[in-house]
Amino acid sequence: MQSPEDVATAVGRNVRALRQQRRMTIDALAAAAGVSRGTVIQIETARGNPSIATLVSLAAALRVGVASLVDGDAEPRVVIRRAAEAARLWSSAAGSNAVFRIGTDPPDVVELWDWTLQPGDGFDGEAHPMGTQEVLSVLSGRLGLRVGATEQHLDTGDTVLFQAHAPHRYSGIGDGPVRFVMVVLQPGDAGLVPPTSIAEAELPPP
């Protein structure tokens, strides 16, 4: 059984982490839970054991169960998705494909994609919510990237970061296929989850 000191440390760590994940200030959490700002500060700094009523109120404000607040397991979470478990969520008649490797749950969504585009093939991405960013790194081949009205060409080893709230297009240019990895960063609690499908690409005219 955990000692009172261990419980206070676990609750403080978990409350602070959950509050930051939900982008809440101390004042916002205090107001949502119906407790004082000083109470939240004391709890986060492990300077006292909160009452059951306070724990229940904090859990409700943070949208978790009480168990999530008192969990004393300090080991970092490690999630492995084996190669065989990756999901190919898009492919084209030309042989291009997009594989969804792994992602996180809201509020802060991170997705890792593995793309292969054949020469002359492309994919049109819709505008994401404001604040979303994408990071692309070309592993092999040459990639054409259009974001809004801006066009860029990336060679093997090149990396780009762009704001993805405008329509964008990836295309394979050059003589061979292009392979690139893509990380999508979408902050905030918009109630979105990693996609289960993406739209078909528009093939260029012959």
Side-chain angles (χ1 to χ4, degrees):
M1 182 176 295
Q2 296 185 75
S3 69
E5 293 77 15
D6 290 340
V7 171
T9 298
V11 170
R13 179 184 64 245
N14 293 331
V15 168
R16 186 169 188 269
L18 288 165
R19 175 177 64 78
Q20 291 176 335
Q21 288 175 16
R22 282 149 179 74
R23 299 182 181 275
M24 298 176 74
T25 63
I26 290 176
D27 288 333
L29 176 57
V35 300
S36 70
R37 183 176 190 273
T39 296
V40 175
I41 293 174
Q42 283 189 331
I43 291 171
E44 289 194 359
T45 55
R47 291 186 296 183
N49 281 304
S51 66
I52 294 175
T54 299
L55 278 177
V56 171
S57 297
L58 287 170
L62 292 166
R63 302 189 300 280
V64 297
V66 171
S68 295
L69 298 187
V70 299
D71 184 5
D73 186 3
E75 286 298 312
R77 181 181 181 220
V78 177
V79 178
I80 297 175
R81 174 172 284 186
R82 301 297 181 184
E85 300 171 330
R88 187 172 69 173
L89 297 185
W90 171 80
S91 61
S92 75
S96 302
N97 63 78
V99 178
F100 181 67
R101 292 292 179 185
I102 202 165
T104 64
D105 294 323
D108 294 314
V109 175
V110 180
E111 301 169 358
L112 176 63
W113 293 79
D114 185 345
W115 286 78
T116 300
L117 293 175
Q118 299 298 327
D121 203 0
F123 179 83
D124 291 300
E126 297 181 356
H128 293 289
M130 185 67 69
T132 304
Q133 299 184 82
E134 291 189 11
V135 181
L136 279 60
S137 187
V138 180
L139 302 179
S140 61
R142 299 190 70 214
L143 175 67
L145 173 67
R146 185 178 71 233
V147 181
T150 302
E151 295 195 21
Q152 303 285 347
H153 290 175
L154 289 86
D155 295 317
T156 299
D158 289 348
T159 302
V160 61
L161 182 152
F162 65 91
Q163 296 176 322
H165 57 266
H168 41 282
R169 178 178 175 84
Y170 327 116
S171 56
I173 58 178
D175 299 328
V178 58
R179 185 182 176 199
F180 62 97
V181 290
M182 176 178 75
V183 176
V184 181
L185 307 169
Q186 182 175 287
D189 189 0
L192 301 178
V193 297
T196 56
S197 65
I198 52 180
E200 292 294 325
E202 294 182 6
L203 294 177

